[in-house]
Amino acid sequence: MALVTCKEASSSSFTHQPKKFDVFLSFRGEDTRLGFVGHLYNVLCQRGINTFIDNNLQRGEEISVGLLKIIESSRISIIVFSENYASSKWCLDELAKIVECKEKDQLVLPIFYNIDPSEVRNQEGKFGEALSKHEEKLKDDKVQSWREALFEAANISGWHYQRRLLMHDLLQQMGRDIIRRESPRMPGERSRLWCYEDVHKVLTQNMGSEKIRSIMICSPEPLKMKLEPKCFEKMKNLKFLMASNVDICRGLKYLPNELRVLDWSGFPLSSLPSNFDPQKLIALNMPESQVTLDKLFKRIQCKNLTYMNFNSNQYIRELSDLLSATPNVKKLDLQNCRKLVKIHDSIGCLDKLESWDLGGCIELQILPSCIVMKSLKYLRLYTCKRVKRFPDIPQEMENLKYLNLGQTAIRELPPSIGNLIGLERLDIGSRFYLCQLPTSIYKLQHLRQLLLYGNVKFPKDACNSYSGFSKYCFPKLNFLKKLTSCFPDSEKCLLSWSKDLNLRESIIRFNRLNFLLIKDSKFLKKIPKLPESIRQVNATNCISLNSESLRKLILQFGRILGLSPNMKCSGVKHKVLMDSHSHRKLSNQICCSSRVSLSKFYAIHDESFPTLDAYLVDSGERYVIKVPGKKISNWINHQSIESSISFWVGPEFPSIAVCVAFHLIPLKDSYANNDKCGSIRDDIIYCICDIHIFTNSRKRRRIVRTHLYGLKCDNLWFYGVPHSRLQREFGDLMQGDRNHVEISCKIAHWVCRNGNYAPMIARMGVHVECVCPPQNSVIIQHNSQNVDDGTELLAPLLSQNGSHTDSDAGDPSSSSSP
């Protein structure tokens, strides 16, 4: 019998004295040993968690006494419920013992490996079959005890493993329980503190000690903590300090010099304690703080500091000399620092800096005279509308891949721009100024994406009429928004916000056009037929676009995806109309918990684009439309006022198109005059929305995420996925001729600039070739004089054999920041 722990290099017999284990793993070997459990065991060992795993391949009928003692001696038990778990008497005996130990304060963590927790809880499916077979063979009460153990374990909060499962969660919970047991009654004697109540007790009662290595002070809501100025003085070995939603009533007199990470959102003081010597500091994360950098870095040096984030700091007016203070910094985030005016010349010589974000620094005027930054990969000055001059580039910089100068006051780039020989994406131009590009722009031979804002003038004869740029100018360019012949003579480039903007039919000849961005163009009335190469259209807030143009645009994308507009579904129960008074109920559907601050939204955005490559990818197999409106086209054959739709498909996963209608509703005022999608709100909304696709009892899901920036009115998001991609992801789960699919949509995070409006999902539709069984349709009509097109909707509803009717219904590309 082979028993292995992470502290034993080989197997051991039960004759050895049982040891204390952090974790006991209970699992069905033939289901998970060589896959999930093996990976989990290795990760636990790598994290220093003393874990017991039974690698015996041939088990007897009865569980040994020795193994029962090992379960008793473990602090945590992890149960991996898999399809055949209940067929093993050994596993069920382990489970019964684990549940017994749970009553004696053992932590139990269930994982449901590709099965639904309800199957375990209710003993359905293979669990029910296995237990019935056990009852036929056993005449005692053992099976009943197994049933009770299964029911209790399945009710424990656990994890359901499915493929413009995070093991981290599991390890975190186990690690926290191990730390809590270091000193159950005296939190100041533990190595890590994360529970707010424990942290508050330690800091306010001066209970700290040298044992503390890490503290997280995360208040559930903003409040003032009455901390003593020297509350951290006893924590000489503190290495990680994270705080948010916390204010200090009096000054801070001490911080430990051992700190490696200082993460304090909204830090309320202008400087750090004068006796703080941060020689070992690696990361300084202080968004929305009041720290002024000229005070901070005039007196301290941080040679080890590699990460600095002062996002949304409204107290920084000048970025002082960092070359001597922080010479090794790799990431510098100053976006949305709206009071920042000047950047010291020395910053342009930080040769270790890789990422530099200045987006949204609307008062910024003075940049370094030149930049010599051999490591720089990412530089963003989006909406720095007072920046008129870009620095000279005296030497070749082969690592800079992404340069965003969109919506700045730069009217010409220096000839030395040609030294950015590795540049792959360039955003340039403004709605206010003509930007002249030098001839040296054609030295950018690696340029793959070119995003133009407003009027940008290229050197003569660079463009041809139909394919955009000559392949000899930018041989790798495949993400193009430079348009010429599709505009009137007076409009030679793409001009958002132009009063006379008009797209000509000749746009169809631009056979390399992937992505069309015409956001916020209030006067654009029509989008003609686009080339077949098109993958994304972003016309967020273009409120003058007529409904026929929008309908044709969505139909074209559906045709590119191979979706017929004539597909019907007789298996949908309909909830079609709502009166205007029902809008009052919609406020209950606002998810307040998903509302975040602007700096937090920026941080979430950065997490969605963790590497530079995320900013450089093209559209691929994604088909996306963002347009104003709140009506979902009636050719989409599954629709609902809910945020979830289910249907049945055949033996292969077909192409699908999902359409979501976002409605902006007031947070404070009445709902009067808020029914029309074409009205511009007195607010700007940013939101991140997720689509989940489940198939066959949620055995696998796919998450699609979009970023909707700068919403000012109701907008539609259309997302299409081709058959080939879905078949690759779900084909192995197709079971016979009928497979159940559920698609749901949720606003994961959102923020409003002025606090007046909130986004909500008002409608959802899915167009798919389905095999749904027929059902009778139900029409729900409320009496109202304000329902849009209510009378016209009834006739097509009754004539379409039960298909869903038209119901009342987005920014830079998803790789552009808000």
Side-chain angles (χ1 to χ4, degrees):
M1 181 168 291
L3 300 172
V4 181
T5 76
C6 66
K7 289 191 174 179
E8 295 175 289
S10 60
S11 62
S12 64
S13 69
F14 281 126
T15 58
H16 290 185
Q17 292 296 320
K19 298 181 180 180
K20 293 284 185 181
F21 296 101
D22 291 327
V23 174
F24 176 86
L25 285 176
S26 176
F27 62 97
R28 181 68 165 128
E30 66 185 43
D31 287 353
T32 61
R33 176 184 286 111
L34 300 180
F36 173 77
V37 169
H39 294 308
L40 176 60
Y41 172 73
N42 289 333
V43 171
L44 292 171
C45 292
Q46 290 168 8
R47 298 294 176 93
I49 298 175
N50 189 14
T51 306
F52 175 87
I53 185 171
D54 182 0
N55 268 339
N56 176 53
L57 297 179
Q58 294 181 348
R59 292 179 165 182
E61 289 295 312
E62 299 291 334
I63 189 171
S64 69
V65 175
L67 192 57
L68 294 177
K69 290 183 178 180
I70 289 177
I71 296 174
E72 288 179 350
S73 68
S74 299
R75 295 179 177 178
I76 302 170
S77 285
I78 299 178
I79 311 165
V80 183
F81 288 116
S82 58
E83 197 174 48
N84 296 303
Y85 185 94
S87 64
S88 167
K89 299 177 185 176
W90 186 291
C91 287
L92 293 171
D93 280 336
E94 283 183 353
L95 175 66
K97 184 64 177 178
I98 288 170
V99 170
E100 177 187 321
C101 292
K102 175 178 175 291
E103 303 301 323
K104 301 176 183 177
D105 201 32
Q106 184 177 103
L107 180 65
V108 177
L109 302 174
I111 297 175
F112 303 94
Y113 181 83
N114 282 338
I115 60 167
D116 196 285
S118 64
E119 290 186 39
V120 182
R121 183 183 304 110
N122 301 322
Q123 287 110 59
E124 297 174 340
K126 288 200 171 182
F127 275 75
E129 295 173 6
L131 289 167
S132 297
K133 290 180 180 178
H134 291 321
E135 282 178 326
E136 293 176 1
K137 297 179 180 179
L138 301 175
K139 303 302 181 183
D140 52 24
D141 296 331
K142 198 169 212 179
V143 178
Q144 182 58 32
S145 68
W146 290 341
R147 288 188 182 275
E148 293 172 358
L150 284 167
F151 180 81
E152 183 168 348
N155 278 305
I156 301 172
S157 177
W159 290 267
H160 190 183
Y161 177 87
Q162 297 156 320
R163 271 189 114 177
R164 197 181 299 213
L165 169 76
L166 297 177
M167 283 193 189
H168 172 76
D169 294 338
L170 178 65
L171 295 173
Q172 183 183 65
Q173 183 168 340
M174 287 189 296
R176 286 182 170 182
D177 186 75
I178 293 171
I179 295 299
R180 184 180 61 82
R181 294 173 188 238
E182 290 178 352
S183 178
R185 298 179 181 271
M186 298 289 292
E189 297 296 315
R190 301 174 195 162
S191 60
R192 295 167 180 83
L193 295 175
W194 62 90
C195 176
Y196 179 74
E197 288 76 15
D198 290 340
V199 172
H200 187 272
K201 181 178 180 180
V202 169
L203 293 180
T204 57
Q205 300 182 23
N206 198 21
M207 297 174 60
S209 73
E210 293 186 359
K211 293 183 179 180
I212 299 176
R213 300 291 190 273
S214 171
I215 287 185
M216 291 197 329
I217 316 171
C218 298
S219 170
E221 56 187 27
L223 51 80
K224 288 182 180 291
M225 288 185 67
K226 295 183 179 180
L227 301 182
E228 292 297 321
K230 296 184 179 181
C231 59
F232 295 105
E233 192 170 31
K234 292 183 179 179
M235 307 177 196
K236 304 291 186 183
N237 294 312
L238 187 66
K239 292 178 171 59
F240 178 93
L241 174 58
M242 178 179 179
S244 64
N245 280 349
V246 173
D247 195 5
I248 298 178
C249 300
R250 296 162 56 187
L252 189 63
K253 298 296 185 182
Y254 179 84
L255 279 175
N257 292 336
E258 290 294 316
L259 273 178
R260 266 66 165 179
V261 176
L262 178 56
D263 186 334
W264 197 317
S265 299
F267 185 74
L269 307 176
S270 62
S271 65
L272 299 176
S274 58
N275 58 358
F276 178 46
D277 185 17
Q279 291 295 323
K280 298 182 179 180
L281 200 63
I282 296 172
L284 189 59
N285 189 50
M286 306 185 80
E288 297 184 287
S289 66
Q290 299 183 22
V291 168
T292 53
L293 297 188
D294 54 342
K295 290 184 179 180
L296 179 63
F297 291 116
K298 277 183 179 178
R299 61 174 183 77
I300 65 174
Q301 289 189 337
C302 304
K303 301 293 184 181
N304 292 310
L305 192 62
T306 59
Y307 177 89
M308 283 199 295
N309 178 10
F310 293 95
N311 184 333
S312 302
N313 182 310
Q314 307 309 328
Y315 294 83
I316 300 174
R317 296 184 178 275
E318 180 177 349
L319 188 60
S320 56
D321 182 4
L322 296 183
L323 190 58
S324 58
T326 61
N328 296 308
V329 64
K330 293 183 178 180
K331 182 170 182 178
L332 180 57
D333 188 345
L334 296 166
Q335 63 178 313
N336 207 37
C337 292
R338 299 188 167 207
K339 301 296 184 181
L340 179 62
V341 176
K342 181 180 178 181
I343 294 176
H344 194 275
D345 250 8
S346 66
I347 308 299
C349 299
L350 289 171
D351 61 2
K352 301 291 180 64
L353 191 62
E354 297 178 1
S355 175
W356 189 10
D357 199 332
L358 292 161
C361 296
I362 58 177
E363 295 295 327
L364 181 62
Q365 299 179 40
I366 303 174
L367 294 174
S369 57
C370 67
I371 55 174
V372 184
M373 310 169 87
K374 64 181 181 181
S375 301
L376 192 63
K377 299 177 182 179
Y378 175 99
L379 176 56
R380 179 173 174 267
L381 291 99
Y382 183 69
T383 68
C384 295
K385 59 185 181 181
R386 295 184 183 274
V387 172
K388 297 180 179 180
R389 179 185 171 277
F390 188 73
D392 188 39
I393 308 160
Q395 302 175 10
E396 288 188 347
M397 292 173 57
E398 62 180 355
N399 287 318
L400 187 61
K401 307 295 183 184
Y402 176 96
L403 176 60
N404 191 330
L405 305 177
Q407 305 297 3
T408 64
I410 296 174
R411 301 193 186 195
E412 62 178 359
L413 289 176
S416 60
I417 196 73
N419 280 331
L420 301 181
I421 57 175
L423 197 66
E424 296 185 16
R425 172 171 166 176
L426 173 63
D427 296 26
I428 186 70
S430 166
R431 55 174 163 163
F432 299 112
Y433 306 102
L434 166 66
C435 182
Q436 173 70 52
L437 299 182
T439 306
S440 59
I441 196 75
Y442 299 127
K443 292 184 179 179
L444 308 182
Q445 295 291 290
H446 292 278
L447 198 66
R448 296 196 284 127
Q449 300 182 22
L450 182 59
L451 281 72
L452 306 182
Y453 299 79
N455 198 353
V456 180
K457 187 176 181 181
F458 283 76
K460 194 174 182 180
D461 299 329
C463 287
N464 60 51
S465 297
Y466 301 133
S467 298
F469 293 103
S470 164
K471 64 181 180 180
Y472 301 106
C473 296
F474 301 111
K476 295 189 177 181
L477 192 65
N478 60 12
F479 199 94
L480 177 64
K481 288 196 291 297
K482 166 72 177 177
L483 308 176
T484 55
S485 63
C486 60
F487 288 97
D489 293 339
S490 61
E491 302 287 352
K492 288 297 184 184
C493 297
L494 185 62
L495 288 175
S496 294
W497 303 279
S498 171
K499 293 183 179 180
D500 301 317
L501 181 62
N502 184 31
L503 289 169
R504 287 181 173 175
E505 301 292 335
S506 57
I507 192 175
I508 197 171
R509 299 176 183 174
F510 284 77
N511 53 25
R512 295 172 66 194
L513 185 67
N514 291 163
F515 175 38
L516 179 64
L517 170 63
I518 41 180
K519 177 187 176 184
D520 289 317
S521 183
K522 300 177 184 177
F523 305 97
L524 182 68
K525 296 180 180 180
K526 178 183 178 183
I527 299 178
K529 186 176 181 181
L530 299 174
E532 292 296 303
S533 59
I534 196 71
R535 294 295 181 269
Q536 296 193 49
V537 173
N538 190 339
T540 304
N541 301 329
C542 294
I543 58 174
S544 295
L545 279 172
N546 60 59
S547 58
E548 181 64 12
S549 180
L550 297 180
R551 187 185 71 85
K552 288 183 177 180
L553 178 63
I554 293 178
L555 280 173
Q556 179 181 354
F557 270 64
R559 188 165 55 252
I560 294 173
L561 281 163
L563 292 169
S564 168
N566 299 318
M567 293 187 300
K568 308 297 182 185
C569 175
S570 58
V572 181
K573 289 186 177 179
H574 304 287
K575 299 177 182 178
V576 180
L577 303 178
M578 295 173 59
D579 67 346
S580 60
H581 297 291
S582 66
H583 282 229
R584 300 181 187 276
K585 300 177 182 178
L586 298 181
S587 60
N588 296 328
Q589 300 182 35
I590 300 175
C591 184
C592 294
S593 62
S594 61
R595 184 178 183 179
V596 296
S597 67
L598 190 58
S599 64
K600 177 65 174 177
F601 191 89
Y602 286 138
I604 295 168
H605 171 272
D606 291 343
E607 291 171 2
S608 300
F609 300 93
T611 65
L612 180 62
D613 289 341
Y615 290 90
L616 303 175
V617 296
D618 57 24
S619 300
E621 291 183 298
R622 293 175 296 166
Y623 295 82
V624 177
I625 303 173
K626 297 174 185 177
V627 290
K630 60 179 180 181
K631 289 187 177 182
I632 296 179
S633 178
N634 64 353
W635 71 271
I636 293 181
N637 60 358
H638 299 76
Q639 295 193 27
S640 175
I641 60 172
E642 307 295 335
S643 57
S644 177
I645 288 177
S646 62
F647 50 89
W648 295 84
V649 298
E652 292 194 356
F653 211 117
S655 300
I656 62 170
V658 181
C659 193
V660 183
F662 294 92
H663 182 44
L664 304 187
I665 61 175
L667 286 170
K668 302 175 182 177
D669 303 328
S670 68
Y671 291 91
N673 301 319
N674 193 37
D675 287 331
K676 293 185 178 180
C677 65
S679 59
I680 294 295
R681 313 290 196 258
D682 59 345
D683 208 342
I684 301 176
I685 308 297
Y686 306 104
C687 66
I688 295 175
C689 188
D690 292 338
I691 285 180
H692 298 256
I693 305 176
F694 302 96
T695 183
N696 289 334
S697 299
R698 298 174 175 253
K699 285 188 176 180
R700 184 171 298 171
R701 73 177 183 182
R702 181 170 187 266
I703 300 179
V704 179
R705 168 158 286 191
T706 192
H707 299 70
L708 297 135
Y709 299 130
L711 298 185
K712 301 175 185 177
C713 63
D714 296 343
N715 279 269
L716 296 173
W717 171 39
F718 174 98
Y719 179 82
V721 194
H723 154 74
S724 56
R725 182 169 181 173
L726 290 169
Q727 185 61 20
R728 285 197 305 269
E729 296 192 21
F730 293 104
D732 61 317
L733 292 182
M734 297 292 100
Q735 300 174 350
D737 293 333
R738 292 181 70 247
N739 296 273
H740 186 258
V741 178
E742 179 182 347
I743 298 181
S744 62
C745 187
K746 179 182 180 181
I747 295 177
H749 309 283
W750 63 276
V751 62
C752 52
R753 279 274 189 186
N754 302 325
N756 296 327
Y757 286 86
M760 61 157 292
I761 296 171
R763 300 285 189 274
M764 182 177 173
V766 177
H767 193 61
V768 63
E769 186 174 0
C770 63
V771 293
C772 299
Q775 294 183 17
N776 295 326
S777 59
V778 177
I779 304 174
I780 302 176
Q781 180 181 6
H782 297 280
N783 294 325
S784 173
Q785 297 178 351
N786 297 319
V787 179
D788 291 343
D789 298 329
T791 305
E792 289 80 1
L793 285 173
L794 292 178
L797 174 67
L798 297 174
S799 65
Q800 290 182 359
N801 296 324
S803 67
H804 214 308
T805 75
D806 208 12
S807 59
D808 290 335
D811 84 286
S813 68
S814 60
S815 59
S816 296
S817 298

